[in-house]
Amino acid sequence: MQFHQFLEVYRKLAMIVKIAVAVVGGFLGWVYTRMQPPPPRVCGSPGGPPVTSPRVQLSDGRHLSYKESGVSKDEAKYKIILIHGFDSSKDLKLPVSQELIEELQIYLLSFDRAGYGESDPHPKRSVKSEAFDVQELADKLQVGPKFYVIGFSMGAYAVWSCLKYIPHRHDVFSFDFSFVFFLLLSGVSLVVPFVNYWWPCLPANLAKEGFERLLVQDRWTFRVAHYAPWLFQWWMNQKLFPSLSIMAGNMDIFCQPDLEFLKKLPPNPDDTQEKVRQQGVYESLYRDVMAGYGRWEFDPFDISNPWPDNDGFAHIWQGYEDKIIPYKINRFLSQKLPFIRYHEVPGKGHFLAFEDGACEEIFRTLLVG
């Protein structure tokens, strides 16, 4: 081969390499941008949604939006903090009658979890951070040394975290600087509670059986959240494969009792549902899934009994027909943990807490047994 021919081939190869590098670089750049979450629209910031609800500022500078109802804190015999589930907010409407609230003298405190509604996003949101948000909210609002917690569905992972990290606390009195012990959680209820299929405490066959009950698209979504959370933004917005079924409006995730319940719901007359995601779907929904299905620092079997004297309990309420949460896993956890009382309701699904009568039974059982 003559030199000028060799030079021509070299130039062509160099051009091909340059084009390939440009294409690969452009593709990787496109993938990188697709992986990056959009900036949040923080409430009260320039261009962000307005602040319309009362909020408290936490020690890290974030704000939590809250809502109080029932009797006043000063008059209340029982104080309950409500933790909403996935794609919900502090404005969740529970069918609890005014008669029951007045009879038992119940004070209710609900709040928007981090990134939801009007609560600031948490860039390092985790299972653990949810528990300390609950504790700081109770302290800031002076709820008192004893209160109850009810967590619904996805919000139940915050209850597991409360049982692990804040079942008790010590306060200091300035008179003699002695430490005085306070029971922080008087009792909790986990209603159709979220389960993490990667909890080490779960037998492999049980976790596999529960996991395989889910729709294929949900299984892949939860795998991405667990093994590759850095890919989650891309996964939830790509069009090649279906992602989370509940966000896609796939009704196959609901059992027949749930479908019948949904048919009875009136249209949303206000803007509460629109406010749920207003600071960004990544900061509210995506971070929720990544925290819940990510790698935990503990599992339920690592939790010590918060009430060794049997002066309190954790209650799990599970609909037998629920297709979103497998009843066998929550039944297993209840059999192994002595401080849990298990309530499996036949003929009910994931919307158990919003059925007439069931919600009041959950409240009565938690407060008065």
Side-chain angles (χ1 to χ4, degrees):
M1 179 183 293
Q2 296 181 358
F3 179 74
H4 71 278
Q5 291 177 320
F6 174 80
L7 188 61
E8 186 64 26
V9 171
Y10 176 79
R11 286 174 178 170
K12 289 180 178 179
L13 287 174
M15 182 62 69
I16 292 172
V17 170
K18 288 181 180 179
I19 293 173
V21 170
V23 170
V24 172
F27 175 74
L28 292 177
W30 175 80
V31 170
Y32 179 78
T33 57
R34 298 283 290 181
M35 288 167 51
Q36 300 306 301
R41 299 178 63 246
V42 179
C43 285
S45 66
V51 176
T52 61
S53 302
R55 305 198 303 176
V56 295
Q57 187 170 22
L58 306 181
S59 57
D60 62 3
R62 290 181 298 117
H63 296 84
L64 283 186
S65 174
Y66 66 91
K67 179 180 180 180
E68 297 173 291
S69 59
V71 303
S72 70
K73 285 195 295 280
D74 296 334
E75 298 175 353
K77 182 178 180 181
Y78 301 106
K79 300 168 184 179
I80 304 176
I81 296 180
L82 305 174
I83 306 178
H84 67 79
F86 184 77
D87 205 8
S88 185
S89 73
K90 66 180 181 299
D91 297 308
L92 76 166
K93 295 177 174 61
L94 296 173
V96 180
S97 68
Q98 187 63 30
E99 289 77 14
L100 180 68
I101 288 175
E102 292 178 358
E103 173 193 343
L104 298 182
Q105 295 177 283
I106 303 172
Y107 162 81
L108 295 172
L109 172 62
S110 58
F111 68 102
D112 292 329
R113 293 193 286 128
Y116 278 102
E118 295 181 38
S119 288
D120 291 343
H122 192 335
K124 296 182 179 180
R125 182 175 171 185
S126 67
V127 173
K128 188 174 184 177
S129 71
E130 295 273 298
F132 289 105
D133 281 0
V134 171
Q135 177 176 271
E136 230 184 315
L137 176 69
D139 286 342
K140 296 285 185 179
L141 293 180
Q142 299 180 342
V143 171
K146 293 187 178 183
F147 58 85
Y148 297 81
V149 175
I150 303 178
F152 302 89
S153 189
M154 197 74 173
Y157 78 73
V159 181
W160 285 119
S161 187
C162 288
L163 288 170
K164 172 63 178 177
Y165 293 113
I166 62 165
H168 310 96
R169 71 177 173 195
H170 291 78
D171 285 356
V172 178
F173 282 87
S174 58
F175 298 110
D176 58 0
F177 298 98
S178 61
F179 285 89
V180 179
F181 181 82
F182 283 88
L183 179 66
L184 182 59
L185 294 179
S186 297
V188 305
S189 287
L190 302 95
V191 184
V192 291
F194 152 96
V195 296
N196 185 313
Y197 299 94
W198 290 273
W199 281 332
C201 66
L202 297 180
N205 61 333
L206 180 62
K208 181 180 179 182
E209 179 186 347
F211 195 63
E212 290 183 348
R213 286 186 59 188
L214 305 176
L215 298 180
V216 173
Q217 65 195 85
D218 291 339
R219 281 183 253 162
W220 277 106
T221 299
F222 299 153
R223 286 190 186 107
V224 173
H226 184 78
Y227 293 110
W230 46 274
L231 265 180
F232 200 74
Q233 166 70 13
W234 170 81
W235 174 260
M236 292 299 293
N237 290 278
Q238 52 80 33
K239 305 301 180 185
L240 298 175
F241 308 100
S243 54
L244 196 60
S245 60
I246 195 168
M247 293 186 66
N250 188 337
M251 303 301 283
D252 291 340
I253 63 171
F254 296 117
C255 62
Q256 191 58 39
D258 286 338
L259 292 173
E260 293 173 1
F261 171 80
L262 290 171
K263 289 178 184 177
K264 300 175 184 177
L265 286 181
N268 187 26
D270 50 33
D271 62 349
T272 55
Q273 192 58 37
E274 285 70 24
K275 287 183 177 180
V276 169
R277 310 180 186 183
Q278 66 181 353
Q279 297 184 98
V281 68
Y282 183 88
E283 300 298 339
S284 53
L285 308 191
Y286 295 1
R287 284 197 188 277
D288 208 4
V289 174
M290 289 188 290
Y293 288 100
R295 300 178 187 275
W296 287 34
E297 297 175 335
F298 70 97
D299 72 26
F301 280 15
D302 295 325
I303 298 173
S304 301
N305 186 349
W307 307 283
D309 297 326
N310 291 328
D311 51 354
F313 292 100
H315 298 266
I316 287 182
W317 293 83
Q318 177 67 53
Y320 182 79
E321 304 294 335
D322 194 346
K323 292 172 65 176
I324 297 175
I325 305 297
Y327 72 88
K328 286 187 178 181
I329 292 182
N330 280 323
R331 182 193 286 178
F332 168 80
L333 294 173
S334 302
Q335 292 170 344
K336 297 297 183 180
L337 295 172
F339 56 88
I340 289 182
R341 295 294 177 264
Y342 183 60
H343 312 269
E344 192 172 285
V345 187
K348 298 299 182 182
H350 198 65
F351 297 120
L352 165 68
F354 300 93
E355 299 274 3
D356 291 341
C359 189
E360 294 202 356
E361 185 178 357
I362 290 170
F363 273 65
R364 279 192 183 276
T365 303
L366 174 65
L367 302 180
V368 298

